[in-house]
Amino acid sequence: MGQSEQAQLQQSDPRLPPGQRLQRGWPVLHYGPVPRFKPLTWDLQVFGATASAEKHSWDFEGFHELPTVTVRSDFHCVTRFSMLDNEWSGVAAATLLELVPPAEQVSHVMVWAEYGYSSNLSLADFAAAGTVFATHHNGEPLTVEHGFPVRLVVPGRYAWKGPKWVRAVEYMRADRRGFWEERGYHNRADPWTEQRYSYQEEPGDGPLR
Ligand SMILES: Nc1nc2c(c(=O)[nH]1)N[C@H]1C(S)=C(S)[C@@H](COP(=O)(O)O)O[C@H]1N2
Ligand SMILES: [Mo]
């Protein structure tokens, strides 16, 4: 099979959203430096509009005692590369919601990472079955470049919605833009309808900028 035929086949894979192509290997892509992991001070916090009005945090050991899941999903970067059928293991976002219930009015979350990177999600996207705080990819611990010790994975959204080096989840009573959402990227980020840029947003897709 020639290379162009192979490319044709790949482009016609029904798992590939419009405008995306398959990527061999796993590129490293992020803004800013790779943070150094500090085991003694690392924690993962849940704060903001919790039902108890208290914030909650796990240290590194505590987080690794939480129940884990393994999920398979496809990964789509807005720069147009996709990787299909990734196996992610870690703690389901739904588990965090059970352990630290949000207040009734919570509609969105902001997921925070080292150095202030952030991304906002609807509560529905966050609670979705495939949304996971991943510690492993295809059975291997995450490397530091790919987000060790924990990154979020949100299937069904462009990959910038999944912060690497996650440190906190903020429960919110209203939507607010995260790092890329403030810088010209679409608030909803659905790859199937190519919600790439904020100029494509319709009324109701996100808060005013
Ligand atoms: N903390 C942080 N997380 C991030 C980013 C970033 O700049 N900082 N970039 C996002 C983008 S745009 C993509 S495509 C994926 C890339 O993940 P990878 O480097 O593991 O392929 O990480 C996402 N998570
Ligand atoms: Mo990306």
Side-chain angles (χ1 to χ4, degrees), residues 26-31 75 77-78 81 113-114 117 145-146 151 159-160 162-165 180:
W26 188 8
V28 170
L29 207 71
H30 54 263
Y31 179 84
F75 183 95
C77 174
V78 72
F81 76 82
E114 302 281 1
Y117 184 90
E145 291 80 11
H146 288 301
R151 76 177 298 159
W160 86 76
K164 305 195 277 193
W165 315 295
W180 286 121

Side-chain angles (χ1 to χ4, degrees), residues 12-195:
S12 64
D13 190 309
R15 295 170 298 177
L16 213 49
Q20 295 294 113
R21 53 186 141 63
L22 286 184
Q23 174 78 40
R24 268 189 221 93
W26 188 8
V28 170
L29 207 71
H30 54 263
Y31 179 84
V34 173
R36 200 164 65 88
F37 172 59
K38 303 192 186 89
L40 295 181
T41 53
W42 188 92
D43 64 357
L44 187 88
Q45 290 197 6
V46 180
F47 71 100
T50 61
S52 67
E54 307 271 310
K55 77 174 187 196
H56 192 94
S57 79
W58 293 274
D59 62 14
F60 188 67
E61 224 171 82
F63 182 77
H64 284 85
E65 284 164 6
L66 297 179
T68 61
V69 295
T70 296
V71 293
R72 302 192 83 87
S73 60
D74 302 332
F75 183 95
H76 310 296
C77 174
V78 72
T79 64
R80 299 182 184 275
F81 76 82
S82 291
M83 298 190 310
L84 301 179
D85 206 26
N86 302 278
E87 185 191 275
W88 302 101
S89 307
V91 179
T95 300
L96 252 70
L97 288 168
E98 269 172 43
L99 294 173
V100 188
E104 247 172 57
Q105 309 89 329
V106 168
S107 58
H108 293 81
V109 307
M110 188 74 75
V111 181
W112 291 96
E114 302 281 1
Y115 296 132
Y117 184 90
S118 63
S119 189
N120 58 316
L121 291 165
S122 69
L123 186 59
D125 284 346
F126 186 70
T131 302
V132 60
F133 289 87
T135 57
H136 290 71
H137 176 259
N138 292 348
E140 299 287 334
L142 288 179
T143 60
V144 66
E145 291 80 11
H146 288 301
F148 173 86
V150 185
R151 76 177 298 159
L152 190 67
V153 175
V154 187
R157 297 291 166 225
Y158 284 119
W160 86 76
K161 291 281 189 186
K164 305 195 277 193
W165 315 295
V166 175
R167 290 296 303 275
V169 178
E170 177 184 358
Y171 292 164
M172 307 194 295
R173 293 187 168 88
D175 200 4
R176 212 171 75 223
R177 288 173 190 275
F179 182 85
W180 286 121
E181 294 83 3
E182 270 186 335
R183 289 168 175 77
Y185 287 89
H186 200 287
N187 194 56
R188 290 206 200 272
D190 172 13
W192 294 98
T193 53
E194 286 197 75
Q195 293 178 329

